[in-house]
Amino acid sequence: MKILASGSPLSPPARNLQKTLVLGIPLALLLLVALWLRWRYVQDISLYVDEFTTLWAARRVQQMGAPIMPSGVLYTRGLLASYVEATFLTLFGFSYTVGRLPSVIFGLGAILATFILGQRVWNWRVGWLAALGLTLLPEAIIWSGRARFYTQLQFFVLLMVWAAFEASTIPHYSTPALEQKGRFRSRGVYGLSFALLFVLALFSQEETILLYPSILLGWVLWRSWRDLRRPSVFLVHAVCLAAMGIRYALEKLGQPGYFETMQAQRPYIGLIFDLRGAWTAYSPLLVAPERLLWTLGGILAVIVALLVLRNIGWRLADLPRDQQATLFFALQFLFVLIVILTLVGTAWRE
């Protein structure tokens, strides 16, 4: 007691306990608020039309082992989600509430992952701000309460982009031995984690494909084209390419002619440079009064990182770690934004 009263530093276990309490209790309260908001939606709002399709696909998985509809067509959208839904319905019984539980859980997982990654890659203030924003975001509350695959996609994609960042960037090390150890860890654990998470995200929702080109570009910018020839890195991307090939084959074999018919009648994607119409549809997500401050804050962070990068001669590896992450994550966002502004079919903008 005298030691503590005299102002002496706490022992390492005591410091760890103090840090756990300081971070853990507020985080638990934040997750409880998030759960309450999402549970209110689950209990009070009736099913959205697409939720019936998800639940029916899960029921077919229970009956047949695969989401094959009575027409004989394989329901490929959210393929992994159909099995997750079926597992919950099998364990807890068939009900609309149970069908919505996976989305609630993945939604809470996304908030927790956002906090942990924000704190780990940037700092605790970024982690808290991002987690709080996601907790209160109306769209996040809605989709975390619906029996669909979007929160599952969000959870896996968030972790996937983080793993890609860790795998494709090279942090500074104080000694050659630590550098060698760090390089091995980056190419090994993080690379394989990225490949696994990419597969999980891809089979949660095929739109994950849109992120692969920008992640590959980030890999090249932070390292080089030559790095892709390394056996460990080549294996990572070979897994991703194989997964995309399997996903495409399932689409073609499970729903023969479907994609071509939809492209002819309601195109998913194409050279649709209707920037004015696309901006009208999507701009509220960025410039609506309740969102503008977030957008300006993000732009400011990117500008600061680019100015620092210019001052050090455009050497990405010498950029502070948090600013590297800012640019890497911004690259993914910018690429997807360009795609939806220029290529997404007008019938799918909602």
Side-chain angles (χ1 to χ4, degrees):
M1 294 295 293
K2 290 182 180 179
I3 294 176
L4 292 176
S6 66
S8 299
L10 296 172
S11 64
R15 284 200 303 271
N16 291 337
L17 177 61
Q18 184 183 55
K19 182 178 180 180
T20 300
L21 292 175
V22 168
L23 293 177
I25 293 175
L27 179 59
L29 293 175
L30 184 66
L31 291 173
L32 284 175
V33 171
L35 175 60
W36 179 76
L37 291 171
R38 285 146 180 80
W39 193 250
R40 285 290 305 273
Y41 186 94
V42 169
Q43 294 293 300
D44 297 342
I45 306 299
S46 59
L47 265 66
Y48 182 68
V49 60
D50 288 345
E51 292 182 81
F52 292 102
T53 305
T54 299
L55 292 172
W56 182 243
R59 173 59 66 87
R60 299 295 288 179
V61 170
Q62 287 181 303
Q63 295 171 345
M64 305 185 62
I68 300 175
M69 298 306 189
S71 63
V73 170
L74 178 70
Y75 184 69
T76 57
R77 296 201 70 196
L79 193 58
L80 178 60
S82 296
Y83 286 90
V84 173
E85 288 282 343
T87 300
F88 272 75
L89 296 176
T90 300
L91 292 174
F92 305 111
F94 192 95
S95 73
Y96 295 155
T97 299
V98 171
R100 286 174 158 183
L101 278 180
S103 291
V104 175
I105 294 172
F106 277 112
L108 295 177
I111 295 171
L112 180 61
T114 297
F115 171 78
I116 293 173
L117 298 186
Q119 182 191 28
R120 178 187 176 98
V121 179
W122 287 274
N123 56 58
W124 65 268
R125 293 180 296 275
V126 171
W128 279 118
L129 185 63
L132 179 63
L134 187 56
T135 295
L136 302 178
L137 184 68
E139 287 83 0
I141 295 171
I142 291 172
W143 290 108
S144 292
R146 289 179 175 175
R148 293 295 277 171
F149 35 73
Y150 295 111
T151 52
Q152 179 175 312
L153 172 70
Q154 179 188 30
F155 177 74
F156 287 132
V157 161
L158 175 63
L159 294 177
M160 178 191 78
V161 174
W162 166 71
F165 167 71
E166 295 287 357
S168 60
T169 57
I170 305 174
H172 294 288
Y173 299 97
S174 56
T175 67
L178 285 176
E179 180 174 0
Q180 184 64 28
K181 180 180 178 181
R183 286 172 181 267
F184 174 78
R185 185 184 183 191
S186 174
R187 289 182 172 85
V189 175
Y190 289 125
L192 292 177
S193 296
F194 161 67
L196 174 62
L197 290 164
F198 180 84
V199 172
L200 292 172
L202 179 64
F203 283 88
S204 295
Q205 227 288 348
E206 62 273 13
E207 290 172 358
T208 303
I209 290 175
L210 295 179
L211 277 170
Y212 184 74
S214 56
I215 287 176
L216 187 63
L217 175 61
W219 207 294
V220 171
L221 289 175
W222 261 263
R223 292 197 176 181
S224 67
W225 281 109
R226 292 189 300 274
D227 189 73
L228 298 178
R229 297 201 299 265
R230 294 178 181 271
S232 59
V233 177
F234 179 82
L235 175 63
V236 166
H237 291 280
V239 169
C240 294
L241 292 171
M244 286 188 278
I246 293 171
R247 183 66 187 80
Y248 179 73
L250 286 173
E251 191 77 29
K252 296 289 288 184
L253 297 174
Q255 303 186 80
Y258 174 79
F259 184 78
E260 290 80 5
T261 302
M262 292 302 296
Q263 277 293 99
Q265 298 181 3
R266 297 178 64 197
Y268 284 118
I269 198 166
L271 298 177
I272 308 167
F273 292 98
D274 179 19
L275 289 177
R276 178 179 295 180
W279 181 250
T280 300
Y282 300 126
S283 61
L285 296 173
L286 300 174
V287 299
E290 66 274 15
R291 302 173 189 272
L292 185 58
L293 187 61
W294 295 88
T295 301
L296 294 176
I299 292 173
L300 179 62
V302 172
I303 290 174
V304 170
L306 287 173
L307 289 175
V308 175
L309 182 62
R310 185 192 64 178
N311 291 337
I312 62 174
W314 305 102
R315 296 185 302 274
L316 281 168
D318 294 333
L319 197 64
R321 190 75 173 156
D322 57 341
Q323 292 179 343
Q324 287 191 48
T326 296
L327 294 181
F328 190 89
F329 277 73
L331 174 64
Q332 317 311 318
F333 177 80
L334 179 62
F335 182 83
V336 172
L337 183 63
I338 291 173
V339 169
I340 67 173
L341 285 175
T342 59
L343 300 178
V344 173
T346 57
W348 299 98
R349 285 177 180 166
E350 73 279 6

